Amino acid sequence: MAGKTDNATARTVKLQKALADAGLGSRRTIEKWIEAGRIKVDGERATLGDRVSSTQRVELDGKLVARHGHSGPRMLLMNKAAGVEVTRKSVTDRRTVFAQLPSIKSGRWISVGRLDVATTGLLLFTNNGELANKLMHPSTNLDREYAVRVRAMLDDETLERLTRGVEINGVTCRFSDIQYYDGRGSNHWYHVCLMEGRNREVRLLFESQGVMVSRLKRVRFGPFIAPNFVPAGRVVEIHTDEVNAVCEMLGLSMRARSRGDSKPTNTNRAVLIPYPNLTLPRWYR
């Protein structure tokens, strides 16, 4: 059976965890690949529940999966520009976010959630499927904050409906918080928070009240903020201390290994803010 080894003392891990750690995708995605017969271990078709050691040969669609020399979890932060798709290959020949990312020796970059083509702002990437899945999973309770420009002032009744809940396509959607931010003339900005952020949920919630969104930007994902020092369309690597702080907050045992990245000279270059259960790096203080 796939997943067994002649070396009884070899350390083994679940196959989906090993591939998630190598940056191939989330555990859930990899489980689907296993069920579809796309993965082999030592030449045999893998099954759910298989465990593997670092010495075993793992193939995805007939190609060897590189699992050695993994440097631990890494994270990137992008200030996504409008008109760029969050996909690996566009069917419309638009630019994609993945074309803007730095190369990686093993595994691949995984986007932490998505933004539609017109939405700008904070987008996270990691090379670790388990970390990506934990950040996205509803049980983690990480909220998402958006800056929204609409062409109307909302009355108290509308605000109350948007936080109480509106049924959209058979699903009850709601903002966990909504605050007026600024505005003049016909343009008014609100900041809204969501706990999950389903596809186009912000736009659909406003549209349910007869209000059209003219601009939408994600400004925060849990403790991560969209910093002013990252221009639109640019991407930066998040410091290992910050990655480790987030892993600890999420209850993950993995740790990012130092890449020789120097600590920012001040917290104006930081990408985290105080957040429940998060211990900020010492140099934040």
Side-chain angles (χ1 to χ4, degrees):
M1 178 184 292
K4 292 188 176 181
T5 175
D6 293 335
N7 184 357
T9 63
R11 181 178 181 272
T12 63
V13 296
K14 286 187 177 180
L15 177 58
Q16 57 265 43
K17 180 181 188 309
L19 298 186
D21 288 348
L24 268 293
S26 69
R27 290 194 191 188
R28 186 178 302 175
T29 297
I30 293 166
E31 286 171 357
K32 292 180 180 178
W33 294 348
I34 294 172
E35 291 177 332
R38 296 177 59 188
I39 298 175
K40 290 185 177 181
V41 178
D42 292 340
E44 297 182 26
R45 177 171 172 169
T47 60
L48 289 175
D50 283 352
R51 301 177 68 88
V52 294
S53 70
S54 60
T55 61
Q56 290 181 278
R57 181 183 179 88
V58 180
E59 296 172 275
L60 172 63
D61 297 332
K63 296 182 179 180
L64 181 65
V65 175
R67 296 186 291 127
H68 305 287
H70 200 270
S71 60
R74 295 170 61 185
M75 292 193 71
L76 305 176
L77 183 151
M78 173 183 284
N79 184 359
K80 179 186 171 296
V84 183
E85 287 190 88
V86 185
T87 183
R88 296 188 184 275
K89 186 175 181 179
S90 174
V91 297
T92 59
D93 293 327
R94 287 194 179 100
R95 291 180 298 156
T96 72
V97 293
F98 289 96
Q100 301 172 252
L101 303 184
S103 60
I104 189 168
K105 291 183 178 180
S106 63
R108 63 177 183 172
W109 293 115
I110 304 165
S111 64
V112 179
R114 300 170 63 89
L115 295 175
D116 65 47
V117 67
T119 301
T120 65
L122 175 62
L123 187 59
L124 300 170
F125 300 86
T126 178
N127 66 333
N128 187 283
E130 185 175 6
L131 176 55
N133 185 62
K134 195 74 171 179
L135 286 165
M136 291 184 285
H137 202 278
S139 65
T140 310
N141 292 321
L142 297 183
D143 59 340
R144 288 82 155 151
E145 182 177 347
Y146 296 81
V148 190
R149 188 180 72 184
V150 296
R151 300 191 183 279
M153 281 281 290
L154 306 183
D155 57 33
D156 291 343
E157 290 183 1
T158 301
L159 294 174
E160 197 274 334
R161 282 194 296 271
L162 289 173
T163 53
R164 184 180 65 237
V166 177
E167 186 172 322
I168 300 175
N169 298 326
V171 178
T172 299
C173 302
R174 59 182 291 272
F175 294 128
S176 58
D177 189 32
I178 180 169
Q179 299 290 333
Y180 183 72
Y181 187 75
D182 194 11
R184 63 179 62 183
S186 62
N187 290 322
H188 298 274
W189 285 92
Y190 288 84
H191 276 221
V192 302
C193 291
L194 290 169
M195 295 309 298
E196 291 187 46
R198 299 180 181 91
N199 183 36
R200 301 189 72 251
E201 186 170 359
V202 174
R203 298 181 190 275
L204 291 172
L205 273 166
F206 278 99
E207 289 173 10
S208 74
Q209 306 303 302
V211 180
M212 298 300 295
V213 172
S214 58
R215 283 192 63 185
L216 180 60
K217 178 178 182 178
R218 184 156 66 189
V219 296
R220 182 173 61 81
F221 188 109
F224 296 94
I225 58 170
N228 294 329
F229 64 84
V230 183
R234 298 290 183 87
V235 60
V236 296
E237 180 144 9
I238 298 174
H239 193 277
T240 52
D241 289 350
E242 295 170 303
V243 176
N244 286 334
V246 170
C247 288
E248 184 176 351
M249 177 191 75
L250 298 174
L252 297 173
S253 59
M254 65 183 70
R255 289 294 178 267
R257 301 175 187 174
S258 176
R259 300 175 54 81
D261 43 353
S262 59
K263 295 179 177 65
T265 55
N266 57 65
T267 54
N268 290 332
R269 307 289 291 184
V271 301
L272 298 178
I273 60 172
Y275 203 77
N277 302 316
L278 175 67
T279 301
L280 293 170
R282 291 182 179 180
W283 47 267
Y284 268 59
R285 306 181 184 98

